[in-house]
């Protein structure tokens, strides 16, 4: 699953789709972790979609990831500032790709 200590263990490389990108990245095969308060490891996400269906405040949006070995769309935490820390997405993701840090 996603490394919950990614902020210490990875470097912030910039922003894409409105959220931070935590490397390493080497597209299209390696896309890194996306978002900070709500973080999705794009290299683990296989586009299950439960997070999009269950988030009560619509934090996630699909973004395209053509050529990635796990899936060609990813759940981007575009609206992470709206998160109410309910932890539903963390519970429903079948591959533990999401970390929410209720600071
Ligand atoms: Fe949405 Fe709850 Fe996940 Fe926050 S913790 S992104 S509100 S499902
Ligand atoms: Fe991806 Fe998990 Fe959501 S696999 S689409 S982050 S439920």
């Amino acid at each position: 699953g996603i490394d919950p200590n990614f902020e210490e263990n990875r470097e912030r490389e910039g922003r894409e789709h409105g959220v931070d990108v935590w490397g390493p990245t080497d597209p299209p095969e390696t896309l890194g972790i996306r978002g900070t308060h709500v973080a999705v490891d794009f290299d683990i996400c296989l586009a299950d979609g439960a997070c999009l269906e269950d988030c009560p405040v619509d934090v996630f949006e699909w973004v395209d990831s053509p050529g990635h070995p796990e899936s060609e769309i990813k759940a981007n935490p575009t609206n992470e500032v709206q998160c109410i820390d309910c932890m539903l997405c963390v519970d429903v993701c079948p591959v533990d790709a999401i970390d929410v840090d209720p600071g």
Side-chain angles (χ1 to χ4, degrees):
I2 187 171
D3 174 7
N5 298 315
F6 68 90
E7 287 178 81
E8 287 100 65
N9 296 334
R10 292 175 176 238
E11 297 291 325
R12 199 177 69 88
E13 293 186 350
R15 288 175 68 82
E16 191 175 12
H17 307 299
V19 300
D20 291 330
V21 177
W22 299 86
T25 62
D26 185 15
E29 293 90 359
T30 307
L31 298 173
I33 289 175
R34 308 303 182 97
T36 298
H37 179 78
V38 179
V40 179
D41 192 325
F42 271 22
D43 296 313
I44 297 174
C45 174
L46 38 66
D48 176 84
C51 57
L52 274 94
E53 284 171 26
D54 289 0
C55 178
V57 291
D58 295 331
V59 161
F60 303 97
E61 288 180 354
W62 292 122
V63 296
D64 293 326
S65 56
H68 190 273
E70 294 296 338
S71 59
E72 303 223 322
I73 54 173
K74 302 291 178 183
N76 191 68
T78 310
N79 304 311
E80 64 179 343
V81 295
Q82 306 291 338
C83 176
I84 57 172
D85 299 334
C86 72
M87 307 308 265
L88 262 177
C89 58
V90 173
D91 292 341
V92 296
C93 177
V95 287
D96 290 327
I98 308 175
D99 180 65
V100 174
D101 185 11

